[in-house]
Amino acid sequence: MKAMIFAAGLGTRLKPLTDTLPKALVPVCGKPLIEHVARKLQSAGVDEVVVNIHYFADKVEQWVESRDWISLSKENAGDGKMLFEISDEREFLLETGGAVLHARRFLEGCGRFLIHNVDILSNCDIPWFESQVKDDALATLLVSERKTTRFLLFDHDTLRLLGWMNTDSGDYHVVSPEIDPKACRALAFSGIHILSDKVPALMQEYVDEKSLPVDETKGVRFPIMSFYMWLASKFPVYGVVAENLEFIDVGKLDALKPAEEFVCRNS
């Protein structure tokens, strides 16, 4: 299975570290976040990774080029080396949905691909997660019973995606008007998901249907969760519940210490 690492974000909540570093290179136990994620993917059998870059893009590229366990060409990949393909968003930060569409040329034809946020550390068993993907699923989202204020809503029996809600603001969205959000199963998203390689073409349909502004050279900007709501109104999108999921979003400075502790426990 191929994977895409979302690594283009500005990392504003990690300032002042990200005044001079991209979030992907913020160190945890002496290694950058992107290495922790890539090594986890590699140990799960992933040997090809797409990485999107924007903020301090040159520094991410320099890091990739300096790793002897990474190759930037298919000819030199293999024998323990991961193939990294760079999806360049220097000109325009495309958000998560736009990032996948922009990387379409790397992703189509691979069958399925996994998406992993660069700032997520977890004990997710990726081969197990992949084994839970249903044949008809266009997208499968790893979720858990974790405490949060932002939940995804699912059918209790099938775990088909039905919407989202924010318990702080009271806002919610459901994919069909007859769905009662209070009757749905509310679960927290992990930032780890598996998509069919048919998804980029459907993203283009979404962009066309919504008449989103497109720059022919820079791409189109939209969040993947908005796309998922549109997709789930038409096609199967499922959740998979990870029991006993340890999960750390290393998006804030106060998450760095728990992240270090997590890495120490799992190394």
Side-chain angles (χ1 to χ4, degrees):
M1 183 170 58
K2 201 165 190 174
M4 181 170 185
I5 300 175
F6 284 154
L10 301 177
T12 53
R13 296 179 298 163
L14 282 168
K15 286 180 174 290
L17 293 177
T18 48
D19 287 338
T20 55
L21 279 177
K23 178 165 59 175
L25 297 186
V26 168
V28 173
C29 292
K31 295 180 181 178
L33 284 168
I34 191 171
E35 180 163 349
H36 288 290
V37 173
R39 289 293 200 181
K40 180 177 180 65
L41 295 173
Q42 188 178 41
S43 68
V46 175
D47 54 11
E48 294 186 33
V49 171
V50 180
V51 180
N52 67 327
I53 57 173
H54 171 77
Y55 184 63
F56 285 120
D58 290 349
K59 290 190 175 183
V60 179
E61 283 190 321
Q62 289 163 11
W63 178 85
V64 170
E65 290 167 357
S66 69
R67 303 301 100 177
D68 60 8
W69 53 276
I70 292 174
S71 173
L72 285 167
S73 69
K74 289 186 178 181
E75 291 77 15
N76 295 324
D79 295 326
K81 286 192 174 186
M82 291 188 83
L83 173 64
F84 268 50
E85 294 168 309
I86 302 297
S87 183
D88 197 332
E89 297 179 25
R90 278 181 177 85
E91 295 298 315
F92 192 50
L93 186 59
L94 297 172
E95 295 194 49
T96 47
V100 174
L101 184 56
H102 189 65
R104 180 176 183 174
R105 66 191 184 281
F106 299 121
L107 301 170
E108 288 185 321
C110 68
R112 290 176 183 162
F113 60 95
L114 180 140
I115 291 178
H116 201 300
N117 289 1
V118 77
D119 55 1
I120 296 300
L121 299 177
S122 80
N123 64 347
C124 169
D125 182 334
I126 290 174
W128 169 83
F129 178 38
E130 185 182 11
S131 75
Q132 302 304 300
V133 175
K134 297 179 180 179
D135 290 340
D136 64 339
L138 287 177
T140 306
L141 286 59
L142 187 75
V143 291
S144 70
E145 298 280 1
R146 180 171 51 89
K147 179 185 267 188
T148 184
T149 59
R150 295 177 293 177
F151 291 94
L152 294 180
L153 303 176
F154 296 90
D155 176 83
H156 280 271
D157 296 326
T158 64
L159 277 187
R160 187 158 172 170
L161 180 65
L162 300 178
W164 60 261
M165 72 173 178
N166 186 312
T167 55
D168 270 356
S169 67
D171 293 336
Y172 69 90
H173 173 89
V174 288
V175 301
S176 180
E178 68 269 13
I179 295 170
D180 178 2
K182 294 179 181 178
C184 299
R185 185 175 180 185
L187 295 161
F189 181 42
S190 68
I192 304 170
H193 27 154
I194 293 176
L195 281 65
S196 162
D197 68 351
K198 298 175 183 175
V199 163
L202 290 165
M203 283 182 162
Q204 188 59 58
E205 287 187 27
Y206 167 78
V207 167
D208 295 341
E209 184 176 307
K210 298 293 184 181
S211 300
L212 299 181
V214 178
D215 185 298
E216 294 302 326
T217 58
K218 297 177 182 177
V220 56
R221 183 175 183 173
F222 61 95
I224 201 166
M225 200 52 66
S226 296
F227 166 73
Y228 279 158
M229 294 302 117
W230 175 87
L231 187 67
S233 70
K234 302 170 183 288
F235 302 102
V237 176
Y238 297 103
V240 167
V241 179
E243 303 291 346
N244 304 311
L245 180 69
E246 287 189 73
F247 170 94
I248 300 175
D249 178 353
V250 196
K252 296 181 180 179
L253 290 173
D254 60 9
L256 289 173
K257 184 177 179 181
E260 298 255 351
E261 294 170 351
F262 172 85
V263 170
C264 287
R265 286 198 310 273
N266 292 276
S267 60

